[in-house]
Amino acid sequence: MAKDTRPDSPWAGAKPRTERPSRRERERERERQAEAGKRPPPSPARDDRRGARSDAPARGGGHRPAAADAAPSVPREAPSSREQRLYGLNACLAAFARRPEALRKVYLSEARIGALKTVLAWCVQRRIGYRVVEADDLDRLTASRHHEGVCFDLLRPEPIALSALLDAQPPAPTASLLLWLDGVGNPHNLGALLRSAAHFGVGGVIVPARAGLDVSGAAARVAEGAAEVVPLAHADDAQQALRDLHARGYALAATVPRDGAPLYATTLPRRLVLVLGAEGEGMSEPMIAAADLRLTIPGSGAIESLNVAASVAVLLGEYWRQSPPG
């Protein structure tokens, strides 16, 4: 028997039972319910690139975390002031190995899913967002084309005080080597000298607090993981720092381009702080005056000097030769 479809009938305008609402109608109904405070369970989120369910296994192992569902469709341009952005595969893996609890966001290319399998599993377990993005996105996120397909946002590590750095060094008269950077600020030089410092077992790097020197993403990438190995300590008062170093048995050696003692003809103190200045300007006169000795790297004379990163590698290699570990 046919339904009564008169205008005054309660059946007027009704759809047949067998007709299901369209997708658009269902979406509108969900919106109406949400506005009325009757929000239904959300539909499974989808990856904005592939249309795959976000709770489906990610290629390379693990699952996409629920936290990733809330990630913006366009990656944000900069981390918060409490975070630092690192990029480069070795730099990111080293940071994760040393301080995984600091991880806040991961961006990676599809090609890096396998290499970052452990990191992605950590993200899943702790509901940390990660996104698989294109190379152009990573270019914008890192302001570099040398990101190697991965970018991490992490909480910044707490600055290390000089006293804490010195407490971590072996006591006198055991051999110990530190670096003091007086005006060095180029991130690529900083990264390169940190890499050399890690290779030759330097106990730490000291910088004046007023310099505001920090390990940037570019420096960390060049350091290839060394930024997580070699601690960077801030000296609030340079004069007091020099007194503290002398009290711990350290001698200070200022590295100068000329008129210093030839490196290879000089017996280096076993407890030594090598002081290095910025390229061009060099180190400050007060630091040169405070040094116990001055060192010059001999060369052909064709150029005035090596850059600071190359100088560090040469100086550390000679120290290692004279005072091998053990």
Side-chain angles (χ1 to χ4, degrees), residues 76-280:
R76 67 176 187 259
E77 294 301 321
S80 72
S81 60
R82 296 180 59 245
E83 298 174 0
Q84 64 178 166
R85 176 160 291 169
L86 300 186
Y87 56 90
L89 184 61
N90 288 338
C92 289
L93 288 176
F96 177 74
R98 292 265 175 170
R99 44 193 179 104
E101 70 287 345
L103 189 61
R104 289 297 176 269
K105 184 78 70 177
V106 174
Y107 302 102
L108 71 157
S109 66
E110 187 171 5
R112 286 301 186 196
I113 290 176
L116 297 170
K117 192 173 181 181
T118 302
V119 177
L120 300 185
W122 174 277
C123 290
V124 170
Q125 293 167 5
R126 288 154 182 82
R127 301 181 65 82
I128 296 170
Y130 72 84
R131 297 192 70 82
V132 177
V133 297
E134 301 293 346
D136 289 348
D137 295 320
L138 287 167
D139 291 349
R140 288 191 293 270
L141 282 164
T142 62
S144 172
R145 292 189 176 183
H146 303 292
H147 45 69
E148 300 170 6
V150 60
C151 169
F152 285 4
D153 286 348
L154 305 99
L155 290 178
R156 291 184 181 277
E158 292 295 324
I160 301 173
L162 177 60
S163 58
L165 176 66
L166 294 179
D167 288 343
Q169 306 309 308
T174 307
S176 177
L177 181 62
L178 302 172
L179 299 180
W180 181 302
L181 305 184
D182 184 38
V184 177
N186 182 287
H188 294 89
N189 282 335
L190 177 59
L193 70 84
L194 286 173
R195 186 172 181 178
S196 294
H199 179 78
F200 288 109
V202 172
V205 176
I206 304 166
V207 296
R210 58 177 169 74
L213 183 63
D214 193 12
V215 179
S216 65
R221 182 194 66 80
V222 174
E224 293 283 353
E228 302 295 329
V229 177
V230 182
L232 191 71
H234 288 175
D236 295 321
D237 183 328
Q239 293 302 316
Q240 183 59 50
L242 296 177
R243 289 192 289 270
D244 292 343
L245 287 165
H246 281 131
R248 303 273 186 138
Y250 286 96
L252 270 73
T255 56
V256 293
R258 68 185 73 83
D259 300 329
L263 174 64
Y264 305 121
T266 303
T267 300
L268 301 177
R270 286 173 55 79
R271 292 179 70 80
L272 182 63
V273 179
L274 288 170
V275 185
L276 299 116
E279 287 190 51

Side-chain angles (χ1 to χ4, degrees), residues 39-54:
R39 190 180 301 276
S43 298
R46 295 178 180 272
D47 183 274
D48 59 341
R49 293 194 319 115
R50 292 185 168 273
R53 287 172 60 100
S54 63

Side-chain angles (χ1 to χ4, degrees), residues 18-94:
T18 57
E19 180 179 344
R20 298 184 62 185
S22 69
R23 178 178 177 182
R24 181 58 184 160
E25 288 172 334
R26 293 199 301 272
E27 291 177 353
R28 287 176 178 171
E29 178 60 25
R30 294 175 66 82
E31 292 173 359
R32 286 196 294 270
Q33 292 184 29
E35 292 173 359
K38 302 176 181 178
R39 190 180 301 276
S43 298
R46 295 178 180 272
D47 183 274
D48 59 341
R49 293 194 319 115
R50 292 185 168 273
R53 287 172 60 100
S54 63
D55 56 353
R59 188 176 302 176
H63 296 266
R64 295 190 185 276
D69 300 342
S73 58
V74 178
R76 67 176 187 259
E77 294 301 321
S80 72
S81 60
R82 296 180 59 245
E83 298 174 0
Q84 64 178 166
R85 176 160 291 169
L86 300 186
Y87 56 90
L89 184 61
N90 288 338
C92 289
L93 288 176

